[in-house]
Amino acid sequence: MSEPLSTTKKTEGRAQTEPAVVRWTLISIALIFLALFLLLPLAAVFGQAFEKGLSVYLDALKEPDTLSSIKLTLITAAVTVPLNLFFGVTAAWAIAKFSFPGKNLLVTLIDLPFSVSPVISGLIYVLIFGLQGWIGPWLQDHDIRIVFAVPGIILATIFVTFPFVARELIPLMEAQGKEEEEAALVLGATGLQTFFRVTLPNIKWGIIYGVILCNARAMGEFGAVSVVSGHIRGMTNTVPLHVEILYNEYNYTAAFAVASLLAFLALITLMVKTIAEWKVRQQLENN
Amino acid sequence: MKLLKRNNNVLPGFGMTLGFTIFYLSVIVLIPLSALVFRTMEFTWSEFLNTVTAPRVLASYKVTFGAAMIAAVINSIFGVLVAWVLVRYRFPGRRIVDALVDLPFALPTAVAGITLATIYSPNGWVGRYLEPHGIKVAFTPLGIVLAMTFIGLPFVVRTVQPVIEEIEVELEEAAVCLGANRWQTLQRVIFPVLLPSILTGFALSFARAVGEYGSIIFIAGNMPMVSEITPLLIITKLEQFDYKGATAIACVMLLTSFTMLLVINLLQKWSRRYAE
């Protein structure tokens, strides 16, 4: 483990063999590209949100429909993230600590939601629970609403955020091996004790990383939720859907004010993600 | 094999965790996705073909795949440049820039959509400088390319970056010792090592752009035959209660995604073999 590490260290010091002019030209091009594509949109969100001053900004956020959309988004994330966290840890335990046939296929299947268009992620639930769907008529008879109601929004969100925790934990737990767990068990710990006292501290930052990304997507998902939501103002509008409605009503300041909440969430996500990444890397190097 | 099995038996919970994994995967992902396939099978073959090759649908494929291809090319070029600069050069603010690269992952697509549309509209921050030159970005196919470039950017950077980090300096030094100049070293030694990861990043960025919806619809203009992307067409069909049409087009898109997934998996295998 220590050998490849030292070569990477060396890379940083000696590899710069381009002349300074070339180096700074390349740096400049890269930075201008990133400024134009990343920094400018980010600045524009806040610029547009505060264009008419702080009081207009705050009024837009205090509007009842905005507040109810924030509430729905929080509820959605509060259901989705714990479920996918539990799944992620369970799946990573089975996949990283044991070997069995069909493992690669299982990992591919877990990643599947990432390669499906968000629109299709919503559509599949309409095809099952919608009025023309498989069990739609039965649900209708029993007065249960799933699609165009909150349960549909939650289901679609679970689908699109499904792989986040698992795909982060599987490689991390595989890299850590199982010697520590085996030692704990030999010394008499129970299975759960082993998990909570040995495994969990080792994968803590991996979990935080997965959870923060899962949460960001859960709160920000637009396409899938848009298909199943039905867009009932104050009832089935999440924050991103509310942004769309405000924007389409030419209420730009309010749209960007609400959008700035999501942009702020994105910045916090990036920050926590960077810290978690650094911690995970550190932990792997210590092993 | 026997040894492995004996080792496995020490850790508890295999049956339970694997059972739950497969159960949850089936309920949330596999069964709903299979619904799409089964609903498509209700079509007759010619009915299906007519739906998915109608002129408006064909035009939407052209816009979607064409724009995704251009965006992926732009991302491959600038993605490699950004990854190279981030790994090999030191400059103030490098860590912040590095973290910022993931912004398109973290920023909700609707926010990206309305922001890009506003910046590039004729009186927006950038649009007002392009307008006098006759360049229209917002509400044209060019806007679609722009939005797809935005959301696809992190994929190339993040697949190429670790490979550049792993390149052994000895390789470059050997090339220099054998008389290669810097350009030859880049071209003959470094580029071949990076190629699999560049292609992987290209495929990932392309796949993401093809399915993307939220960041595009605000800037696209959404004119049928001109700037209407396929995911939007699916939603339009749904809103007209044309469930069958929506299902058929979605099935084509799903097949495309699976093909892309297969290609990406093969590319990743190739690049891993290269790394060893």
Side-chain angles (χ1 to χ4, degrees):
Chain A
M1 206 49 223
S2 66
E3 253 182 38
L5 210 74
S6 62
T7 43
T8 10
K9 283 264 166 61
K10 258 188 269 166
T11 312
E12 292 185 356
R14 281 194 286 157
Q16 298 179 2
T17 41
E18 281 84 24
V21 187
V22 177
R23 221 159 55 218
W24 283 104
T25 315
L26 291 179
I27 293 176
S28 309
I29 296 173
L31 289 184
I32 290 169
F33 177 79
L34 292 179
L36 205 62
F37 270 82
L38 301 181
L39 215 51
L40 193 69
L42 191 61
V45 179
F46 292 104
Q48 299 283 337
F50 288 103
E51 205 182 15
K52 291 184 181 147
L54 189 67
S55 65
V56 178
Y57 175 83
L58 289 176
D59 283 346
L61 296 185
K62 273 188 279 189
E63 212 233 335
D65 284 347
T66 307
L67 290 179
S68 79
S69 75
I70 293 174
K71 199 176 136 199
L72 180 57
T73 290
L74 291 177
I75 291 172
T76 307
V79 177
T80 305
V81 175
L83 275 175
N84 282 342
L85 168 63
F86 183 74
F87 161 73
V89 174
T90 330
W93 180 268
I95 291 169
K97 304 284 180 188
F98 300 91
S99 50
F100 53 91
K103 192 161 149 174
N104 286 336
L105 178 69
L106 187 60
V107 175
T108 310
L109 288 178
I110 288 176
D111 261 350
L112 212 53
F114 276 167
S115 45
V116 174
S117 167
V119 171
I120 295 175
S121 316
L123 174 69
I124 52 177
Y125 290 103
V126 176
L127 290 180
I128 293 179
F129 299 112
L131 260 187
Q132 307 191 22
W134 276 348
I135 55 173
W138 184 87
L139 291 171
Q140 167 98 342
D141 290 343
H142 293 78
D143 212 23
I144 304 170
R145 299 212 62 153
I146 292 192
V147 174
F148 310 129
V150 177
I153 293 176
I154 292 176
L155 270 176
T157 310
I158 292 178
F159 181 93
V160 292
T161 58
F162 183 85
F164 277 110
V165 181
R167 68 157 15 198
E168 178 57 28
L169 289 186
I170 292 168
L172 179 65
M173 280 165 76
E174 268 173 352
Q176 285 172 343
K178 49 190 179 186
E179 285 82 5
E180 290 184 38
E181 280 86 357
E182 281 166 354
L185 286 165
V186 168
L187 292 171
T190 67
L192 281 180
Q193 277 175 331
T194 310
F195 175 76
F196 282 106
R197 304 248 181 105
V198 178
T199 312
L200 199 59
N202 275 337
I203 60 171
K204 189 175 66 187
W205 285 102
I207 287 181
I208 292 173
Y209 182 94
V211 162
I212 191 86
L213 287 187
C214 179
N215 179 66
R217 184 74 192 268
M219 291 189 166
E221 178 53 27
F222 178 73
V225 170
S226 164
V227 175
V228 294
S229 133
H231 303 272
I232 308 161
R233 245 188 128 122
M235 298 274 290
T236 61
N237 265 341
T238 60
V239 176
L241 295 179
H242 191 55
V243 169
E244 182 198 21
I245 289 189
L246 291 171
Y247 184 83
N248 286 342
E249 286 171 348
Y250 303 103
N251 195 350
Y252 294 133
T253 313
F256 277 101
V258 179
S260 76
L261 294 179
L262 292 172
F264 194 61
L265 173 76
L267 287 180
I268 295 175
T269 304
L270 285 185
M271 225 162 65
V272 178
K273 178 181 169 293
T274 309
I275 297 169
E277 236 161 18
W278 181 64
K279 291 272 184 187
V280 167
R281 205 178 262 214
Q282 215 178 25
Q283 211 162 23
L284 280 179
E285 278 169 13
N286 286 341
N287 268 12
Chain B
M1 196 59 212
K2 229 178 192 167
L3 191 79
L4 270 176
K5 252 195 182 147
R6 207 179 329 132
N7 275 348
N8 283 345
N9 287 341
V10 179
L11 293 188
F14 175 60
M16 210 170 65
T17 51
L18 185 67
F20 178 75
T21 302
I22 292 172
F23 167 75
Y24 191 72
L25 177 73
S26 307
V27 170
I28 299 292
V29 180
L30 299 183
I31 295 173
L33 271 182
S34 71
L36 184 65
V37 179
F38 281 116
R39 291 304 290 264
T40 313
M41 285 201 235
E42 291 168 13
F43 280 89
T44 65
W45 182 238
S46 67
E47 208 183 357
F48 178 77
L49 269 188
N50 282 338
T51 313
V52 300
T53 58
R56 188 172 166 188
V57 185
L58 284 182
S60 84
Y61 300 146
K62 218 172 111 184
V63 172
T64 311
F65 291 103
M69 189 61 88
I70 300 172
V73 170
I74 297 174
N75 275 333
S76 302
I77 296 167
F78 284 96
V80 172
L81 176 67
V82 169
W84 180 263
V85 166
L86 284 177
V87 175
R88 286 299 178 91
Y89 303 149
R90 291 293 167 270
F91 54 93
R94 188 182 61 93
R95 278 169 195 282
I96 295 172
V97 173
D98 194 2
L100 203 65
V101 167
D102 283 324
L103 182 73
F105 282 154
L107 194 69
T109 53
V111 178
I114 65 166
T115 311
L116 291 174
T118 305
I119 297 177
Y120 289 93
S121 72
N123 50 11
W125 287 7
V126 180
R128 78 177 68 150
Y129 299 107
L130 299 175
E131 182 79 358
H133 302 284
I135 306 170
K136 287 197 174 110
V137 178
F139 320 122
T140 69
L142 199 57
I144 301 178
V145 174
L146 184 87
M148 286 176 167
T149 309
F150 175 81
I151 51 128
L153 175 68
F155 288 98
V156 180
V157 180
R158 293 301 184 228
T159 38
V160 175
Q161 203 173 8
V163 183
I164 298 181
E165 274 167 11
E166 290 294 313
I167 293 178
E168 297 193 13
V169 187
E170 283 76 4
L171 224 60
E172 289 166 55
E173 285 168 351
V176 175
C177 288
L178 294 170
N181 62 33
R182 187 63 187 156
W183 177 240
Q184 283 169 326
T185 314
L186 281 175
Q187 207 185 345
R188 305 249 178 101
V189 179
I190 294 178
F191 184 71
V193 177
L194 294 187
L195 187 62
S197 65
I198 297 174
L199 288 176
T200 310
F202 175 88
L204 284 171
S205 147
F206 177 78
R208 171 71 203 264
V210 165
E212 179 57 20
Y213 173 71
S215 57
I216 298 172
I217 51 158
F218 296 98
I219 200 172
N222 306 327
M223 285 229 305
M225 308 300 290
V226 180
S227 56
E228 185 178 50
I229 53 165
T230 312
L232 177 68
L233 193 57
I234 295 175
I235 289 204
T236 312
K237 298 248 175 210
L238 265 183
E239 279 168 356
Q240 295 163 346
F241 300 104
D242 179 6
Y243 282 64
K244 287 192 94 175
T247 309
I249 301 170
C251 200
V252 171
M253 290 217 62
L254 195 67
L255 284 178
T256 322
S257 315
F258 286 171
T259 316
M260 288 306 300
L261 191 67
L262 193 73
V263 171
I264 291 164
N265 273 348
L266 290 175
L267 280 172
Q268 271 166 345
K269 250 184 214 152
W270 181 34
S271 54
R272 233 172 277 142
R273 195 174 337 152
Y274 230 111
E276 280 157 13

